[in-house]
PDB file of all heavy atoms in Angstrom:
ATOM      1  N   PRO B 222       9.565  10.968  -9.185  1.00  0.00           N
ATOM      2  CA  PRO B 222       8.454  10.317  -8.481  1.00  0.00           C
ATOM      3  C   PRO B 222       8.060  11.137  -7.256  1.00  0.00           C
ATOM      4  O   PRO B 222       8.869  11.921  -6.752  1.00  0.00           O
ATOM      5  CB  PRO B 222       9.059   8.980  -8.051  1.00  0.00           C
ATOM      6  CG  PRO B 222      10.511   9.268  -7.889  1.00  0.00           C
ATOM      7  CD  PRO B 222      10.842  10.260  -8.963  1.00  0.00           C
ATOM      8  N   LEU B 223       6.840  10.932  -6.821  1.00  0.00           N
ATOM      9  CA  LEU B 223       6.391  11.567  -5.574  1.00  0.00           C
ATOM     10  C   LEU B 223       7.314  11.140  -4.438  1.00  0.00           C
ATOM     11  O   LEU B 223       7.673  11.943  -3.578  1.00  0.00           O
ATOM     12  CB  LEU B 223       4.951  11.098  -5.293  1.00  0.00           C
ATOM     13  CG  LEU B 223       4.332  11.546  -3.993  1.00  0.00           C
ATOM     14  CD1 LEU B 223       4.165  13.058  -3.962  1.00  0.00           C
ATOM     15  CD2 LEU B 223       2.972  10.860  -3.803  1.00  0.00           C
ATOM     16  N   ALA B 224       7.668   9.865  -4.416  1.00  0.00           N
ATOM     17  CA  ALA B 224       8.602   9.371  -3.402  1.00  0.00           C
ATOM     18  C   ALA B 224       9.280   8.121  -3.935  1.00  0.00           C
ATOM     19  O   ALA B 224       8.769   7.462  -4.857  1.00  0.00           O
ATOM     20  CB  ALA B 224       7.871   9.059  -2.101  1.00  0.00           C
ATOM     21  N   PHE B 225      10.406   7.825  -3.362  1.00  0.00           N
ATOM     22  CA  PHE B 225      11.115   6.587  -3.698  1.00  0.00           C
ATOM     23  C   PHE B 225      11.400   5.819  -2.418  1.00  0.00           C
ATOM     24  O   PHE B 225      11.847   6.396  -1.421  1.00  0.00           O
ATOM     25  CB  PHE B 225      12.437   6.900  -4.415  1.00  0.00           C
ATOM     26  CG  PHE B 225      13.404   5.748  -4.382  1.00  0.00           C
ATOM     27  CD1 PHE B 225      13.131   4.577  -5.077  1.00  0.00           C
ATOM     28  CD2 PHE B 225      14.571   5.814  -3.619  1.00  0.00           C
ATOM     29  CE1 PHE B 225      14.012   3.495  -5.014  1.00  0.00           C
ATOM     30  CE2 PHE B 225      15.456   4.739  -3.556  1.00  0.00           C
ATOM     31  CZ  PHE B 225      15.174   3.575  -4.262  1.00  0.00           C
ATOM     32  N   TYR B 226      11.139   4.533  -2.440  1.00  0.00           N
ATOM     33  CA  TYR B 226      11.488   3.647  -1.330  1.00  0.00           C
ATOM     34  C   TYR B 226      12.351   2.506  -1.855  1.00  0.00           C
ATOM     35  O   TYR B 226      11.903   1.749  -2.720  1.00  0.00           O
ATOM     36  CB  TYR B 226      10.232   3.073  -0.666  1.00  0.00           C
ATOM     37  CG  TYR B 226       9.429   4.142   0.027  1.00  0.00           C
ATOM     38  CD1 TYR B 226       8.436   4.835  -0.658  1.00  0.00           C
ATOM     39  CD2 TYR B 226       9.704   4.496   1.339  1.00  0.00           C
ATOM     40  CE1 TYR B 226       7.730   5.855  -0.040  1.00  0.00           C
ATOM     41  CE2 TYR B 226       9.004   5.517   1.964  1.00  0.00           C
ATOM     42  CZ  TYR B 226       8.019   6.184   1.271  1.00  0.00           C
ATOM     43  OH  TYR B 226       7.336   7.195   1.889  1.00  0.00           O
ATOM     44  N   GLY B 227      13.547   2.413  -1.357  1.00  0.00           N
ATOM     45  CA  GLY B 227      14.427   1.337  -1.787  1.00  0.00           C
ATOM     46  C   GLY B 227      15.833   1.608  -1.295  1.00  0.00           C
ATOM     47  O   GLY B 227      16.104   2.627  -0.666  1.00  0.00           O
ATOM     48  N   GLN B 228      16.692   0.667  -1.565  1.00  0.00           N
ATOM     49  CA  GLN B 228      18.062   0.854  -1.154  1.00  0.00           C
ATOM     50  C   GLN B 228      18.786   1.793  -2.112  1.00  0.00           C
ATOM     51  O   GLN B 228      18.367   1.953  -3.253  1.00  0.00           O
ATOM     52  CB  GLN B 228      18.773  -0.507  -1.155  1.00  0.00           C
ATOM     53  CG  GLN B 228      19.469  -0.833   0.135  1.00  0.00           C
ATOM     54  CD  GLN B 228      19.985  -2.258   0.164  1.00  0.00           C
ATOM     55  OE1 GLN B 228      20.414  -2.812  -0.842  1.00  0.00           O
ATOM     56  NE2 GLN B 228      19.927  -2.860   1.335  1.00  0.00           N
ATOM     57  N   ASN B 229      19.834   2.406  -1.622  1.00  0.00           N
ATOM     58  CA  ASN B 229      20.750   3.092  -2.515  1.00  0.00           C
ATOM     59  C   ASN B 229      21.592   1.994  -3.159  1.00  0.00           C
ATOM     60  O   ASN B 229      22.566   1.505  -2.586  1.00  0.00           O
ATOM     61  CB  ASN B 229      21.625   4.061  -1.720  1.00  0.00           C
ATOM     62  CG  ASN B 229      22.549   4.861  -2.614  1.00  0.00           C
ATOM     63  OD1 ASN B 229      23.112   4.325  -3.561  1.00  0.00           O
ATOM     64  ND2 ASN B 229      22.695   6.135  -2.316  1.00  0.00           N
ATOM     65  N   SER B 230      21.177   1.573  -4.341  1.00  0.00           N
ATOM     66  CA  SER B 230      21.735   0.353  -4.945  1.00  0.00           C
ATOM     67  C   SER B 230      23.229   0.467  -5.179  1.00  0.00           C
ATOM     68  O   SER B 230      23.967  -0.506  -4.992  1.00  0.00           O
ATOM     69  CB  SER B 230      21.069   0.053  -6.283  1.00  0.00           C
ATOM     70  OG  SER B 230      19.718   0.333  -6.262  1.00  0.00           O
ATOM     71  N   GLU B 231      23.647   1.633  -5.603  1.00  0.00           N
ATOM     72  CA  GLU B 231      25.064   1.776  -5.919  1.00  0.00           C
ATOM     73  C   GLU B 231      25.913   1.635  -4.655  1.00  0.00           C
ATOM     74  O   GLU B 231      26.915   0.924  -4.643  1.00  0.00           O
ATOM     75  CB  GLU B 231      25.296   3.129  -6.589  1.00  0.00           C
ATOM     76  CG  GLU B 231      26.564   3.162  -7.386  1.00  0.00           C
ATOM     77  CD  GLU B 231      26.772   4.505  -8.085  1.00  0.00           C
ATOM     78  OE1 GLU B 231      25.901   4.897  -8.886  1.00  0.00           O
ATOM     79  OE2 GLU B 231      27.809   5.142  -7.801  1.00  0.00           O
ATOM     80  N   ARG B 232      25.483   2.308  -3.566  1.00  0.00           N
ATOM     81  CA  ARG B 232      26.221   2.203  -2.309  1.00  0.00           C
ATOM     82  C   ARG B 232      26.185   0.772  -1.785  1.00  0.00           C
ATOM     83  O   ARG B 232      27.121   0.280  -1.175  1.00  0.00           O
ATOM     84  CB  ARG B 232      25.646   3.142  -1.240  1.00  0.00           C
ATOM     85  CG  ARG B 232      25.767   4.624  -1.538  1.00  0.00           C
ATOM     86  CD  ARG B 232      27.145   5.067  -1.927  1.00  0.00           C
ATOM     87  NE  ARG B 232      28.126   4.975  -0.854  1.00  0.00           N
ATOM     88  CZ  ARG B 232      29.439   5.105  -1.004  1.00  0.00           C
ATOM     89  NH1 ARG B 232      29.952   5.302  -2.208  1.00  0.00           N
ATOM     90  NH2 ARG B 232      30.247   5.032   0.026  1.00  0.00           N
ATOM     91  N   SER B 233      25.042   0.146  -2.025  1.00  0.00           N
ATOM     92  CA  SER B 233      24.881  -1.220  -1.572  1.00  0.00           C
ATOM     93  C   SER B 233      25.851  -2.155  -2.305  1.00  0.00           C
ATOM     94  O   SER B 233      26.475  -3.028  -1.697  1.00  0.00           O
ATOM     95  CB  SER B 233      23.422  -1.626  -1.810  1.00  0.00           C
ATOM     96  OG  SER B 233      23.247  -2.981  -1.583  1.00  0.00           O
ATOM     97  N   GLY B 234      26.002  -1.968  -3.600  1.00  0.00           N
ATOM     98  CA  GLY B 234      26.946  -2.766  -4.378  1.00  0.00           C
ATOM     99  C   GLY B 234      28.385  -2.501  -3.957  1.00  0.00           C
ATOM    100  O   GLY B 234      29.217  -3.413  -3.893  1.00  0.00           O
TER     101      GLY B 234
END
Side-chain angles (χ1 to χ4, degrees):
Chain B
L223 175 65
F225 161 67
Y226 293 90
Q228 233 172 35
N229 183 319
S230 322
E231 201 178 301
R232 295 310 293 169
S233 171

